[in-house]
Amino acid sequence: MWNFYFHELMNSLPFFLKGLWVTVEVAGLGLIAATFLGFLFGIMRAGKNKILRSIIGVWVDLIRGTPFLVQVFIIFFILPGIGIELEAFPAAVIALSNMGAAFICEIVASGILAVPKGQKEAATASGLSGIQQMRYIVMPQAMRSIIPPLVGQYVLIIKDSSVVSAIGVVDVTRVGWLTVQRIPEGLMVFGLVGILYFAVCYPLINLSNYLERRMTLTATRL
C-alpha cells in the first residue's frame, strides 16, 4: 500500500511544482514590496520626526503582535464589507507585504541607529544634506548590520506564505491539503511539501549565514 501511495504521489509531482511556483510568485512579490516599504518606513522610524516614529511604531507593534492568519482574514474577508474586494492572490500578496514590511522596518531602523552619531555629525559638518548623509554615509555603514537579518527575514516570509492557502491560494501547501484527501498518508505528502519549501529556503539560509560570518569578520578586522 505504501508503494502505491508513493507512486500516486510521484504522479502528482507536477501539481506540487505548479503549486511551488505559485508560492514563489506570492513570496517573491511580497518580498519586493515588503523590502521597499520596510526600508522606507525604517528610515522614517529612525528619523527625527516624533509623530512619524510614533505612527510607524504603532503599526509595527500591531502587525508584529497579531497572528498573520488573522491579518490575511481581515484583508480577504473583512475589507469586502467596506467595499474593497480582492481576489485571493492579490490579497495574499498585500498581506505578506504588510507583514514583511513591519519586520524589515525594525531591521532597517536598528541598522541605521547602530551607526555612530559621530559619523552623522561629521557628515553634517561637511555640509551634506539629510538625503546625502543617508545615501553616502549612513546607509553604506548600516547595511553591514542590516543585510544578514534581512536575508533571514526573507526565509521567514517565504515560510509564512504557506498561511495564504487558508484563503484558497493554490500554493504548494494548498496542493498538499488537496492531495492528502486522495492519498491518506499525511507524513508522505507533507514531507514532500516540506522538502519543496526547504529547496527554496536553503540557499537563502546559507546566504544569510555567509553574510553574517563575513560581516562579523569585517567588523573584527576594523
Side-chain angles (χ1 to χ4, degrees):
M1 183 63 71
W2 192 90
N3 289 333
F4 173 76
Y5 288 151
F6 181 79
H7 179 72
E8 287 296 307
L9 185 62
M10 290 300 98
N11 288 337
S12 302
L13 188 58
F15 298 103
F16 279 90
L17 294 177
K18 185 178 294 185
L20 182 64
W21 177 246
V22 173
T23 294
V24 171
E25 285 184 318
V26 172
L29 292 173
L31 287 177
I32 293 171
T35 301
F36 174 77
L37 294 174
F39 269 83
L40 178 63
F41 294 145
I43 292 172
M44 295 179 184
R45 178 90 156 128
K48 297 179 180 179
N49 191 312
K50 293 182 178 180
I51 296 177
L52 274 178
R53 290 207 314 263
S54 298
I55 293 174
I56 294 173
V58 170
W59 165 70
V60 168
D61 291 341
L62 181 63
I63 299 303
R64 296 177 66 181
T66 55
F68 180 50
L69 181 61
V70 173
Q71 299 169 28
V72 173
F73 282 168
I74 289 174
I75 291 174
F76 188 67
F77 293 114
I78 306 300
L79 289 186
I82 58 174
I84 303 176
E85 295 188 11
L86 296 169
E87 295 183 1
F89 188 90
V93 172
I94 291 172
L96 204 61
S97 303
N98 185 54
M99 183 271 294
F103 285 90
I104 293 174
C105 170
E106 289 297 277
I107 293 172
V108 173
S110 298
I112 292 173
L113 294 174
V115 176
K117 291 183 178 180
Q119 298 287 327
K120 302 174 185 177
E121 293 171 356
T124 302
S126 299
L128 296 178
S129 66
I131 296 177
Q132 289 174 326
Q133 291 179 34
M134 185 62 64
R135 179 178 179 182
Y136 297 113
I137 306 299
V138 178
M139 284 307 295
Q141 297 182 65
M143 290 303 290
R144 296 176 183 172
S145 56
I146 288 174
I147 290 178
L150 178 64
V151 177
Q153 185 61 46
Y154 286 168
V155 175
L156 296 177
I157 292 175
I158 293 172
K159 292 191 295 183
D160 286 340
S161 69
S162 62
V163 174
V164 304
S165 63
I167 58 173
V169 177
V170 188
D171 64 342
V172 67
T173 301
R174 183 71 174 180
V175 172
W177 281 115
L178 295 173
T179 302
V180 81
Q181 298 177 24
R182 182 170 53 86
I183 304 175
E185 187 61 50
L187 181 61
M188 184 187 300
V189 172
F190 284 100
L192 176 59
V193 172
I195 290 172
L196 293 174
Y197 272 109
F198 181 76
V200 174
C201 293
Y202 187 63
L204 287 175
I205 294 172
N206 280 338
L207 178 60
S208 177
N209 293 335
Y210 167 76
L211 291 172
E212 189 169 358
R213 289 194 303 269
R214 183 167 181 176
M215 297 300 177
T216 301
L217 182 60
T218 301
T220 301
R221 289 176 176 174
L222 295 175

